[in-house]
Amino acid sequence: RSGQEHIPTDGPVLIACNHVAFIDPLLVAMAAHPRRSWMMAKEELFRSRALAAWMRGSGTFPVRRATPDVWAVRMARDLLSRGECLLMFPEGGVSRSGYMRPGFSGAGYLALQPQVTVVPAAIWKTQHLRGPARVRFGPPIPMDDLRDSPRPGRNRRATQRIMETLAGMVPL
């Protein structure tokens, strides 16, 4: 792991990361330590009582994918407004091909919340569990110019900026 100095020790932080394997959330959260990270996870993972209990205990909450999940977005926004750290995978799922998919605009919406520091994170070598896994945090992505820009398309532009930054961090 590298770049931990880019994660503020307090205040609202959105860590946005690419997603290449099911184990990524755990590894990125461990790499962000000592900062505690909250995470969204697909609701299907909460069907198992044991797994759901463990995930909730570790700061994970469900999100319905492929639909605007108002509850999950509000939960994420509320965590950020309380000064918490939220780990998110804007692609919305694992991309084992190595090619990043477009990010969902919810990432941009959360990135534009007041005072949020957006820290990009790249993870690789987890696709085939052939480690050692690598996690690199980059410098915060500036968002102030977008926060002050006209509303139409602002969330999409913020998401695009996040995804372009991530694409530049992931080794070819």
Short mmCIF file of all heavy atoms in Angstrom, two decimals, residues 59-110:
data_model
loop_
_atom_site.label_atom_id
_atom_site.label_comp_id
_atom_site.label_asym_id
_atom_site.label_seq_id
_atom_site.Cartn_x
_atom_site.Cartn_y
_atom_site.Cartn_z
N GLY A 59 -19.54 -1.95 9.26
CA GLY A 59 -19.83 -0.66 8.64
C GLY A 59 -20.24 -0.74 7.19
O GLY A 59 -20.02 0.21 6.43
N THR A 60 -20.84 -1.83 6.80
CA THR A 60 -21.29 -2.00 5.42
C THR A 60 -22.82 -1.93 5.39
O THR A 60 -23.48 -2.46 6.27
CB THR A 60 -20.81 -3.35 4.86
OG1 THR A 60 -19.39 -3.41 4.99
CG2 THR A 60 -21.18 -3.52 3.40
N PHE A 61 -23.35 -1.27 4.38
CA PHE A 61 -24.81 -1.18 4.24
C PHE A 61 -25.20 -1.52 2.81
O PHE A 61 -24.41 -1.35 1.89
CB PHE A 61 -25.33 0.20 4.67
CG PHE A 61 -24.73 1.37 3.93
CD1 PHE A 61 -25.38 1.92 2.84
CD2 PHE A 61 -23.54 1.92 4.34
CE1 PHE A 61 -24.83 2.99 2.15
CE2 PHE A 61 -22.98 3.00 3.67
CZ PHE A 61 -23.64 3.54 2.57
N PRO A 62 -26.43 -2.03 2.63
CA PRO A 62 -26.84 -2.52 1.31
C PRO A 62 -27.20 -1.40 0.34
O PRO A 62 -27.67 -0.33 0.74
CB PRO A 62 -28.07 -3.38 1.62
CG PRO A 62 -28.61 -2.83 2.88
CD PRO A 62 -27.44 -2.30 3.66
N VAL A 63 -26.98 -1.68 -0.94
CA VAL A 63 -27.41 -0.79 -2.01
C VAL A 63 -28.02 -1.65 -3.11
O VAL A 63 -27.51 -2.72 -3.43
CB VAL A 63 -26.24 0.07 -2.55
CG1 VAL A 63 -25.14 -0.79 -3.15
CG2 VAL A 63 -26.74 1.09 -3.57
N ARG A 64 -29.16 -1.19 -3.62
CA ARG A 64 -29.78 -1.85 -4.78
C ARG A 64 -29.10 -1.31 -6.02
O ARG A 64 -29.12 -0.10 -6.27
CB ARG A 64 -31.29 -1.56 -4.83
CG ARG A 64 -32.09 -2.44 -3.91
CD ARG A 64 -33.56 -2.11 -3.97
NE ARG A 64 -33.76 -0.84 -3.23
CZ ARG A 64 -34.47 0.19 -3.68
NH1 ARG A 64 -35.09 0.14 -4.82
NH2 ARG A 64 -34.57 1.28 -2.96
N ARG A 65 -28.51 -2.18 -6.78
CA ARG A 65 -27.79 -1.75 -7.98
C ARG A 65 -28.75 -1.64 -9.16
O ARG A 65 -29.83 -2.19 -9.14
CB ARG A 65 -26.67 -2.73 -8.30
CG ARG A 65 -25.67 -2.80 -7.18
CD ARG A 65 -24.48 -3.67 -7.46
NE ARG A 65 -24.86 -5.01 -7.89
CZ ARG A 65 -24.05 -5.82 -8.54
NH1 ARG A 65 -22.83 -5.45 -8.82
NH2 ARG A 65 -24.44 -7.02 -8.89
N ALA A 66 -28.31 -0.92 -10.17
CA ALA A 66 -29.05 -0.76 -11.43
C ALA A 66 -30.37 -0.01 -11.23
O ALA A 66 -31.24 -0.08 -12.08
CB ALA A 66 -29.30 -2.11 -12.10
N THR A 67 -30.50 0.67 -10.12
CA THR A 67 -31.67 1.51 -9.86
C THR A 67 -31.24 2.60 -8.88
O THR A 67 -30.37 2.36 -8.05
CB THR A 67 -32.82 0.67 -9.26
OG1 THR A 67 -33.94 1.53 -9.04
CG2 THR A 67 -32.45 0.01 -7.97
N PRO A 68 -31.83 3.77 -8.98
CA PRO A 68 -31.49 4.80 -7.99
C PRO A 68 -31.99 4.37 -6.60
O PRO A 68 -33.19 4.32 -6.37
CB PRO A 68 -32.22 6.04 -8.48
CG PRO A 68 -32.58 5.77 -9.90
CD PRO A 68 -32.70 4.28 -10.02
N ASP A 69 -31.09 4.03 -5.72
CA ASP A 69 -31.44 3.59 -4.38
C ASP A 69 -31.37 4.79 -3.44
O ASP A 69 -30.31 5.14 -2.93
CB ASP A 69 -30.49 2.48 -3.91
CG ASP A 69 -30.90 1.88 -2.58
OD1 ASP A 69 -31.65 2.53 -1.82
OD2 ASP A 69 -30.46 0.75 -2.29
N VAL A 70 -32.52 5.43 -3.25
CA VAL A 70 -32.58 6.67 -2.47
C VAL A 70 -32.11 6.44 -1.04
O VAL A 70 -31.36 7.26 -0.49
CB VAL A 70 -34.02 7.25 -2.49
CG1 VAL A 70 -34.14 8.46 -1.60
CG2 VAL A 70 -34.41 7.59 -3.92
N TRP A 71 -32.50 5.32 -0.42
CA TRP A 71 -32.09 5.06 0.95
C TRP A 71 -30.56 4.96 1.07
O TRP A 71 -29.97 5.57 1.96
CB TRP A 71 -32.73 3.77 1.47
CG TRP A 71 -32.31 3.49 2.89
CD1 TRP A 71 -32.89 3.97 4.02
CD2 TRP A 71 -31.18 2.71 3.31
NE1 TRP A 71 -32.19 3.53 5.13
CE2 TRP A 71 -31.13 2.76 4.72
CE3 TRP A 71 -30.19 1.99 2.64
CZ2 TRP A 71 -30.16 2.10 5.47
CZ3 TRP A 71 -29.21 1.34 3.38
CH2 TRP A 71 -29.21 1.40 4.78
N ALA A 72 -29.93 4.20 0.18
CA ALA A 72 -28.47 4.02 0.25
C ALA A 72 -27.74 5.35 0.00
O ALA A 72 -26.75 5.65 0.67
CB ALA A 72 -28.01 2.96 -0.75
N VAL A 73 -28.24 6.14 -0.94
CA VAL A 73 -27.60 7.43 -1.22
C VAL A 73 -27.75 8.36 -0.01
O VAL A 73 -26.81 9.05 0.37
CB VAL A 73 -28.17 8.06 -2.50
CG1 VAL A 73 -27.69 9.49 -2.68
CG2 VAL A 73 -27.78 7.21 -3.71
N ARG A 74 -28.92 8.35 0.61
CA ARG A 74 -29.11 9.18 1.81
C ARG A 74 -28.21 8.72 2.95
O ARG A 74 -27.64 9.54 3.68
CB ARG A 74 -30.57 9.13 2.27
CG ARG A 74 -31.46 10.00 1.46
CD ARG A 74 -32.86 10.04 2.05
NE ARG A 74 -33.72 10.83 1.18
CZ ARG A 74 -35.00 10.63 1.04
NH1 ARG A 74 -35.61 9.68 1.73
NH2 ARG A 74 -35.71 11.39 0.24
N MET A 75 -28.09 7.43 3.10
CA MET A 75 -27.21 6.88 4.14
C MET A 75 -25.77 7.34 3.90
O MET A 75 -25.10 7.81 4.83
CB MET A 75 -27.29 5.35 4.14
CG MET A 75 -26.36 4.67 5.10
SD MET A 75 -26.94 4.88 6.78
CE MET A 75 -25.86 3.75 7.63
N ALA A 76 -25.32 7.22 2.67
CA ALA A 76 -23.96 7.64 2.32
C ALA A 76 -23.78 9.15 2.55
O ALA A 76 -22.78 9.58 3.13
CB ALA A 76 -23.65 7.29 0.86
N ARG A 77 -24.74 9.93 2.12
CA ARG A 77 -24.68 11.39 2.30
C ARG A 77 -24.65 11.75 3.79
O ARG A 77 -23.89 12.62 4.22
CB ARG A 77 -25.86 12.05 1.61
CG ARG A 77 -25.79 13.57 1.62
CD ARG A 77 -27.08 14.18 1.14
NE ARG A 77 -28.14 13.80 2.07
CZ ARG A 77 -29.41 13.68 1.74
NH1 ARG A 77 -29.82 13.91 0.52
NH2 ARG A 77 -30.31 13.33 2.64
N ASP A 78 -25.47 11.05 4.59
CA ASP A 78 -25.50 11.33 6.03
C ASP A 78 -24.18 10.97 6.70
O ASP A 78 -23.72 11.69 7.58
CB ASP A 78 -26.66 10.58 6.68
CG ASP A 78 -28.02 11.14 6.28
OD1 ASP A 78 -28.07 12.23 5.67
OD2 ASP A 78 -29.03 10.46 6.55
N LEU A 79 -23.58 9.87 6.29
CA LEU A 79 -22.27 9.49 6.85
C LEU A 79 -21.24 10.58 6.54
O LEU A 79 -20.47 10.99 7.41
CB LEU A 79 -21.81 8.15 6.27
CG LEU A 79 -22.53 6.92 6.80
CD1 LEU A 79 -22.25 5.71 5.92
CD2 LEU A 79 -22.12 6.64 8.25
N LEU A 80 -21.23 11.05 5.30
CA LEU A 80 -20.29 12.10 4.92
C LEU A 80 -20.57 13.39 5.69
O LEU A 80 -19.64 14.07 6.15
CB LEU A 80 -20.33 12.34 3.42
CG LEU A 80 -19.78 11.21 2.56
CD1 LEU A 80 -20.10 11.43 1.09
CD2 LEU A 80 -18.26 11.06 2.77
N SER A 81 -21.83 13.72 5.87
CA SER A 81 -22.17 14.96 6.59
C SER A 81 -21.75 14.88 8.06
O SER A 81 -21.53 15.91 8.70
CB SER A 81 -23.66 15.28 6.47
OG SER A 81 -24.43 14.39 7.24
N ARG A 82 -21.60 13.67 8.58
CA ARG A 82 -21.11 13.48 9.96
C ARG A 82 -19.59 13.42 10.03
O ARG A 82 -19.02 13.18 11.10
CB ARG A 82 -21.69 12.20 10.55
CG ARG A 82 -23.18 12.25 10.76
CD ARG A 82 -23.74 11.10 11.57
NE ARG A 82 -23.02 9.85 11.50
CZ ARG A 82 -23.58 8.67 11.21
NH1 ARG A 82 -24.87 8.60 10.92
NH2 ARG A 82 -22.86 7.57 11.21
N GLY A 83 -18.92 13.60 8.88
CA GLY A 83 -17.46 13.60 8.87
C GLY A 83 -16.83 12.23 8.76
O GLY A 83 -15.65 12.05 9.05
N GLU A 84 -17.60 11.25 8.31
CA GLU A 84 -17.09 9.88 8.19
C GLU A 84 -16.35 9.67 6.86
O GLU A 84 -16.37 10.52 5.99
CB GLU A 84 -18.25 8.88 8.30
CG GLU A 84 -19.01 8.92 9.60
CD GLU A 84 -18.23 8.38 10.79
OE1 GLU A 84 -17.17 7.75 10.60
OE2 GLU A 84 -18.70 8.58 11.92
N CYS A 85 -15.73 8.50 6.76
CA CYS A 85 -15.02 8.09 5.55
C CYS A 85 -15.86 7.01 4.86
O CYS A 85 -16.23 6.01 5.49
CB CYS A 85 -13.65 7.53 5.92
SG CYS A 85 -12.68 6.94 4.52
N LEU A 86 -16.17 7.23 3.59
CA LEU A 86 -16.98 6.29 2.82
C LEU A 86 -16.15 5.73 1.69
O LEU A 86 -15.56 6.49 0.91
CB LEU A 86 -18.22 7.01 2.26
CG LEU A 86 -19.13 6.18 1.36
CD1 LEU A 86 -19.83 5.09 2.17
CD2 LEU A 86 -20.16 7.08 0.69
N LEU A 87 -16.06 4.42 1.61
CA LEU A 87 -15.36 3.73 0.53
C LEU A 87 -16.40 3.31 -0.50
O LEU A 87 -17.41 2.69 -0.16
CB LEU A 87 -14.63 2.50 1.08
CG LEU A 87 -14.04 1.52 0.08
CD1 LEU A 87 -13.07 2.20 -0.87
CD2 LEU A 87 -13.36 0.38 0.83
N MET A 88 -16.14 3.68 -1.76
CA MET A 88 -17.12 3.40 -2.81
C MET A 88 -16.42 2.93 -4.08
O MET A 88 -15.30 3.34 -4.37
CB MET A 88 -17.92 4.68 -3.02
CG MET A 88 -18.53 4.89 -4.32
SD MET A 88 -19.53 6.38 -4.28
CE MET A 88 -21.10 5.61 -4.49
N PHE A 89 -17.10 2.07 -4.81
CA PHE A 89 -16.61 1.56 -6.08
C PHE A 89 -17.56 2.08 -7.17
O PHE A 89 -18.61 1.46 -7.41
CB PHE A 89 -16.54 0.03 -6.04
CG PHE A 89 -15.58 -0.47 -5.00
CD1 PHE A 89 -16.00 -0.67 -3.70
CD2 PHE A 89 -14.25 -0.68 -5.32
CE1 PHE A 89 -15.12 -1.10 -2.73
CE2 PHE A 89 -13.36 -1.11 -4.35
CZ PHE A 89 -13.79 -1.32 -3.05
N PRO A 90 -17.24 3.21 -7.81
CA PRO A 90 -18.17 3.86 -8.74
C PRO A 90 -18.62 2.99 -9.91
O PRO A 90 -19.68 3.24 -10.48
CB PRO A 90 -17.39 5.07 -9.25
CG PRO A 90 -16.34 5.33 -8.23
CD PRO A 90 -16.01 3.98 -7.64
N GLU A 91 -17.85 1.96 -10.27
CA GLU A 91 -18.25 1.09 -11.37
C GLU A 91 -19.48 0.26 -11.01
O GLU A 91 -20.14 -0.28 -11.89
CB GLU A 91 -17.11 0.13 -11.75
CG GLU A 91 -15.91 0.83 -12.34
CD GLU A 91 -14.75 -0.12 -12.47
OE1 GLU A 91 -14.01 -0.31 -11.48
OE2 GLU A 91 -14.58 -0.68 -13.58
N GLY A 92 -19.75 0.13 -9.72
CA GLY A 92 -20.94 -0.58 -9.28
C GLY A 92 -20.81 -2.08 -9.25
O GLY A 92 -21.77 -2.79 -8.97
N GLY A 93 -19.65 -2.60 -9.53
CA GLY A 93 -19.44 -4.04 -9.50
C GLY A 93 -18.05 -4.39 -9.98
O GLY A 93 -17.30 -3.53 -10.43
N VAL A 94 -17.71 -5.64 -9.85
CA VAL A 94 -16.39 -6.13 -10.23
C VAL A 94 -16.23 -6.13 -11.75
O VAL A 94 -17.13 -6.53 -12.48
CB VAL A 94 -16.19 -7.57 -9.67
CG1 VAL A 94 -14.90 -8.19 -10.19
CG2 VAL A 94 -16.21 -7.55 -8.16
N SER A 95 -15.08 -5.70 -12.20
CA SER A 95 -14.72 -5.74 -13.62
C SER A 95 -13.44 -6.56 -13.76
O SER A 95 -12.35 -6.04 -13.65
CB SER A 95 -14.50 -4.32 -14.16
OG SER A 95 -14.07 -4.37 -15.50
N ARG A 96 -13.60 -7.86 -13.94
CA ARG A 96 -12.44 -8.76 -13.99
C ARG A 96 -11.62 -8.63 -15.27
O ARG A 96 -10.50 -9.08 -15.35
CB ARG A 96 -12.91 -10.19 -13.84
CG ARG A 96 -13.30 -10.50 -12.42
CD ARG A 96 -13.55 -11.99 -12.23
NE ARG A 96 -13.76 -12.28 -10.83
CZ ARG A 96 -14.92 -12.18 -10.21
NH1 ARG A 96 -15.97 -11.77 -10.87
NH2 ARG A 96 -15.03 -12.48 -8.93
N SER A 97 -12.19 -7.98 -16.28
CA SER A 97 -11.50 -7.88 -17.57
C SER A 97 -10.27 -6.98 -17.49
O SER A 97 -9.40 -7.06 -18.35
CB SER A 97 -12.45 -7.31 -18.63
OG SER A 97 -12.74 -5.95 -18.32
N GLY A 98 -10.21 -6.14 -16.48
CA GLY A 98 -9.12 -5.18 -16.40
C GLY A 98 -9.48 -3.85 -17.04
O GLY A 98 -8.77 -2.87 -16.88
N TYR A 99 -10.58 -3.82 -17.76
CA TYR A 99 -11.06 -2.58 -18.35
C TYR A 99 -12.08 -1.95 -17.41
O TYR A 99 -13.01 -2.63 -16.99
CB TYR A 99 -11.71 -2.84 -19.72
CG TYR A 99 -10.73 -3.34 -20.74
CD1 TYR A 99 -10.68 -4.69 -21.07
CD2 TYR A 99 -9.85 -2.47 -21.36
CE1 TYR A 99 -9.78 -5.17 -21.99
CE2 TYR A 99 -8.94 -2.93 -22.30
CZ TYR A 99 -8.91 -4.28 -22.61
OH TYR A 99 -8.01 -4.74 -23.51
N MET A 100 -11.86 -0.70 -17.12
CA MET A 100 -12.81 -0.03 -16.23
C MET A 100 -14.09 0.31 -16.97
O MET A 100 -14.06 0.69 -18.13
CB MET A 100 -12.17 1.23 -15.65
CG MET A 100 -11.07 0.91 -14.67
SD MET A 100 -10.28 2.37 -13.98
CE MET A 100 -11.66 3.16 -13.21
N ARG A 101 -15.20 0.16 -16.26
CA ARG A 101 -16.49 0.54 -16.80
C ARG A 101 -16.79 1.98 -16.41
O ARG A 101 -16.19 2.50 -15.47
CB ARG A 101 -17.57 -0.39 -16.24
CG ARG A 101 -17.37 -1.83 -16.69
CD ARG A 101 -18.50 -2.68 -16.22
NE ARG A 101 -18.58 -2.66 -14.76
CZ ARG A 101 -18.87 -3.71 -14.02
NH1 ARG A 101 -19.12 -4.85 -14.59
NH2 ARG A 101 -18.93 -3.63 -12.72
N PRO A 102 -17.74 2.62 -17.07
CA PRO A 102 -18.12 3.97 -16.65
C PRO A 102 -18.65 3.94 -15.22
O PRO A 102 -19.27 2.96 -14.80
CB PRO A 102 -19.22 4.36 -17.63
CG PRO A 102 -19.10 3.42 -18.77
CD PRO A 102 -18.49 2.16 -18.23
N GLY A 103 -18.41 5.01 -14.49
CA GLY A 103 -18.92 5.10 -13.13
C GLY A 103 -20.36 5.58 -13.10
O GLY A 103 -20.83 6.23 -14.03
N PHE A 104 -21.04 5.24 -12.02
CA PHE A 104 -22.41 5.71 -11.82
C PHE A 104 -22.38 7.12 -11.23
O PHE A 104 -21.50 7.45 -10.43
CB PHE A 104 -23.17 4.77 -10.88
CG PHE A 104 -23.57 3.49 -11.54
CD1 PHE A 104 -22.79 2.35 -11.43
CD2 PHE A 104 -24.74 3.42 -12.29
CE1 PHE A 104 -23.15 1.16 -12.05
CE2 PHE A 104 -25.12 2.23 -12.90
CZ PHE A 104 -24.32 1.10 -12.78
N SER A 105 -23.35 7.94 -11.62
CA SER A 105 -23.33 9.35 -11.23
C SER A 105 -23.57 9.57 -9.74
O SER A 105 -23.31 10.66 -9.24
CB SER A 105 -24.34 10.15 -12.05
OG SER A 105 -25.64 9.65 -11.84
N GLY A 106 -23.99 8.55 -9.01
CA GLY A 106 -24.10 8.68 -7.56
C GLY A 106 -22.77 8.99 -6.91
O GLY A 106 -22.70 9.70 -5.90
N ALA A 107 -21.69 8.48 -7.50
CA ALA A 107 -20.35 8.80 -6.98
C ALA A 107 -20.08 10.29 -7.10
O ALA A 107 -19.54 10.91 -6.18
CB ALA A 107 -19.29 7.99 -7.73
N GLY A 108 -20.45 10.87 -8.23
CA GLY A 108 -20.27 12.30 -8.42
C GLY A 108 -21.13 13.11 -7.47
O GLY A 108 -20.69 14.12 -6.92
N TYR A 109 -22.36 12.67 -7.27
CA TYR A 109 -23.25 13.36 -6.33
C TYR A 109 -22.62 13.41 -4.93
O TYR A 109 -22.58 14.46 -4.28
CB TYR A 109 -24.60 12.65 -6.28
CG TYR A 109 -25.49 13.15 -5.17
CD1 TYR A 109 -26.16 14.36 -5.29
CD2 TYR A 109 -25.66 12.40 -4.01
CE1 TYR A 109 -26.98 14.83 -4.27
CE2 TYR A 109 -26.47 12.86 -2.98
CZ TYR A 109 -27.12 14.07 -3.11
OH TYR A 109 -27.92 14.52 -2.09
N LEU A 110 -22.10 12.27 -4.46
CA LEU A 110 -21.50 12.23 -3.13
C LEU A 110 -20.20 13.03 -3.09
O LEU A 110 -19.90 13.69 -2.09
CB LEU A 110 -21.27 10.78 -2.71
CG LEU A 110 -22.55 9.97 -2.51
CD1 LEU A 110 -22.23 8.49 -2.33
CD2 LEU A 110 -23.37 10.51 -1.35
#
